[in-house]
Amino acid sequence: MEWDSRTGRKMNREPIIERFAKLDTCAVSDGMDRLGLKGATFGVRPMWPCPKIVGRAVTMKIKPAGLEKPKQHLGTAPIVAANPGDIIVIDNGGRPDNFCWGGLLSLAAKTKGISGVVIDGACRDVDESREVGFPVYARAAVPMTARNRVVQESFNKEIQFAGVQVYPGDLVIADGSGIVVIPRAQEEEVVKEAEAVAATEARMAEGIRQGRSVVEVLEKLDYESMLRKDTEK
């Protein structure tokens, strides 16, 4: 563990997380394709020019509000449960009309050293999140309140997020291309395949920078078969 000088808190520096931090979501998704795993999500994007984030999932599921009054404010339980470096992953059913994360939650999460939040649904207070430097990935932004509209159903339990199953502790990587979830039990396999994909693409990029034809580069390094599991790298 290392100390984060900004928050004065311990940061999770697992070697596997450091390896994933050097990769982008595209290489990770390609590595999962090689293994026949589903991890890439769709439709969730950074709400401001957020940095790439990598961390372990703390999950939350949202449901429509009913007659029962919520016992605590929406989103506070995952923040309390999260460790510095974690990522909060919210299942709001992909709804773009009801938000489930706002500026005060971003401030609290940032203060604790949480890496970011990814939301299959909407957020609000995007300007406030940007001002405190807290990464927020979501489907949409809306100005309306969550009060009397949605409540927290559960946290740190299995959820569905943008077409992918997520368990607490799974690895999450998010950047400008989207979000990928890596099952904890298979993260070592995934990172090896993703690193191999990234290395091959780096060689292709270097060939293009040297003035070689893009057709020649892609054919010589056999781009089309690169994601086959039996391809030698």
Side-chain angles (χ1 to χ4, degrees):
M1 303 285 281
E2 296 179 6
W3 289 96
D4 184 333
S5 60
R6 297 171 302 172
T7 64
R9 296 177 180 273
K10 288 183 178 180
M11 293 291 291
N12 193 346
R13 295 298 188 189
E14 297 176 66
I16 194 73
I17 292 179
E18 293 297 314
R19 290 170 70 185
F20 273 107
K22 297 174 183 178
L23 300 165
D24 60 26
T25 54
C26 298
V28 175
S29 176
D30 289 353
M32 296 186 78
D33 279 347
R34 284 179 54 85
L35 295 167
L37 299 175
K38 183 179 181 181
T41 67
F42 55 90
V44 181
R45 297 289 181 265
M47 290 291 98
W48 54 276
C50 302
K52 177 173 68 178
I53 55 175
V54 183
R56 298 212 173 271
V58 175
T59 61
M60 178 169 71
K61 183 175 176 60
I62 302 300
K63 68 177 181 179
L67 296 177
E68 183 180 359
K69 297 295 183 182
K71 295 181 174 61
Q72 58 186 173
H73 191 284
L74 183 71
T76 55
I79 293 175
V80 171
N83 293 313
D86 287 345
I87 294 175
I88 295 176
V89 183
I90 302 178
D91 172 13
N92 194 16
R95 294 185 59 175
D97 56 334
N98 280 332
F99 102 103
C100 56
W101 190 271
L104 291 176
L105 295 179
S106 285
L107 178 59
K110 175 71 174 182
T111 301
K112 191 171 183 181
I114 295 169
S115 291
V117 62
V118 296
I119 307 165
D120 188 10
C123 65
R124 76 171 189 173
D125 299 328
V126 173
D127 294 337
E128 292 180 28
S129 297
R130 182 177 62 245
E131 286 170 5
V132 300
F134 186 73
V136 176
Y137 292 71
R139 287 192 181 273
V142 295
M144 65 188 66
T145 181
R147 295 180 187 89
N148 302 317
R149 292 189 172 94
V150 294
V151 296
Q152 179 177 297
E153 178 177 330
S154 64
F155 81 96
N156 257 359
K157 294 185 178 181
E158 174 193 356
I159 62 171
Q160 288 287 324
F161 180 87
V164 173
Q165 200 170 25
V166 184
Y167 292 89
D170 284 349
L171 267 178
V172 178
I173 175 170
D175 61 20
S177 293
I179 298 161
V180 179
V181 179
I182 304 100
R184 187 162 195 161
Q186 292 162 300
E187 58 195 30
E188 186 65 39
E189 297 173 81
V190 172
V191 78
K192 288 179 180 177
E193 298 293 344
E195 286 170 343
V197 169
T200 300
E201 292 193 337
R203 292 196 298 273
M204 293 176 176
E206 183 58 28
I208 293 170
R209 291 189 188 97
Q210 291 174 358
R212 292 164 59 189
S213 162
V214 65
V215 174
E216 175 194 357
V217 169
L218 297 185
E219 288 183 354
K220 184 173 182 179
L221 291 175
D222 204 7
Y223 182 86
E224 293 302 322
S225 64
M226 187 171 64
L227 298 188
R228 289 207 311 261
K229 184 68 175 75
D230 59 352
T231 301
E232 291 293 331
K233 301 178 288 297

